[in-house]
Amino acid sequence: MDTSKKFPKAETLNALHNQGVLLLNATLTVRAHQAGSHQKQGWEQFTDSVIHLVADKLEHVVFILWGNYAISKGEFIDERKHLVLKSVHPSPLSASRGFFGNKQFSTTNQYLMEWGKEPVKW
């Protein structure tokens, strides 16, 4: 199976990581073609802990939450200390309902620069 068209290349993910970007889904595994199939099996406790740790220990982090499930994770992020951006999920089913043109990448970079941080090279 050729996965090169379905998944970002490792170089792309490494480039984002090297700039301080953490990509994190609430559930880290899934059965093929079965969205949400591994929900409520323990991943949420782990990913919630990661979000809490980042939100509590760091300042001026940008949290980009896509989709209602991710948006619910933002309830415990202090928006006085961080920038929390929320949008519909960029999936083909919902991207046209507000994802396109939401300017979250440029808003992220503007915020980072305001706090003396390097913008992300998306």
Side-chain angles (χ1 to χ4, degrees):
M1 177 169 106
D2 179 16
T3 60
S4 64
K5 294 180 181 139
K6 294 183 180 183
F7 302 106
K9 294 184 181 211
E11 299 85 32
T12 303
L13 297 177
N14 285 337
L16 289 172
H17 169 267
N18 291 340
Q19 296 179 81
V21 174
L22 171 65
L23 300 174
L24 183 66
N25 281 339
T27 306
L28 301 180
T29 60
V30 65
R31 268 186 245 107
H33 312 293
Q34 295 181 19
S37 59
H38 289 175
Q39 285 181 345
K40 299 180 182 161
Q41 294 186 20
W43 280 124
E44 293 86 354
Q45 293 170 310
F46 173 76
T47 55
D48 283 359
S49 294
V50 170
I51 295 167
H52 276 288
L53 189 67
V54 170
D56 292 346
K57 300 289 182 187
L58 301 175
E59 290 186 351
H60 311 300
V61 171
V62 179
F63 291 86
I64 302 175
L65 309 175
W66 291 341
N68 289 332
Y69 192 68
I71 289 169
S72 72
K73 301 288 182 177
E75 294 175 5
F76 48 80
I77 300 169
D78 185 348
E79 293 191 40
R80 296 167 297 174
K81 187 176 169 183
H82 304 289
L83 176 62
V84 179
L85 301 175
K86 302 169 188 172
S87 176
V88 297
H89 195 278
S91 75
L93 298 174
S94 60
S96 63
R97 294 183 302 181
F99 181 79
F100 296 121
N102 67 19
K103 300 187 184 228
Q104 291 191 334
F105 300 118
S106 59
T107 302
T108 293
N109 283 346
Q110 180 181 354
Y111 177 85
L112 292 172
M113 290 187 294
E114 287 173 6
W115 288 101
K117 297 183 177 196
E118 290 292 317
V120 175
K121 293 178 184 142
W122 303 101

